[in-house]
Amino acid sequence: MSQTLGVCGGDACMRNTGIPIWEVVSFHRLGMNEFRLLDNYPTLNATDLANASAYAAAFPDESEIAIRHNDED
């Protein structure tokens, strides 16, 4: 996971991608299973998804705020 000013709007992203963690977490909450997530994000692997879940669990407010903010847009 990485957080870089100017990348992904400053949100935490999956390693070496422009995929924000909140986006993966949001799709998972909407019912997208691991296989579909990996099919839709071919640059990711199962370990990446596990790391995203762990990051979101460690920093729940960060993910919640980003999801809410992006749902409003």
Side-chain angles (χ1 to χ4, degrees), residues 37-51:
L37 283 166
L38 294 174
D39 190 46
N40 284 297
Y41 295 98
T43 58
L44 301 181
N45 59 46
T47 300
D48 295 324
L49 297 181
N51 289 338

Side-chain angles (χ1 to χ4, degrees), residues 1 14 21 24-25 28 37 46-59 63:
M1 307 304 117
M14 307 298 288
I21 291 172
V24 174
V25 170
H28 188 260
L37 283 166
T47 300
D48 295 324
L49 297 181
N51 289 338
S53 292
Y55 185 92
F59 303 99
S63 295

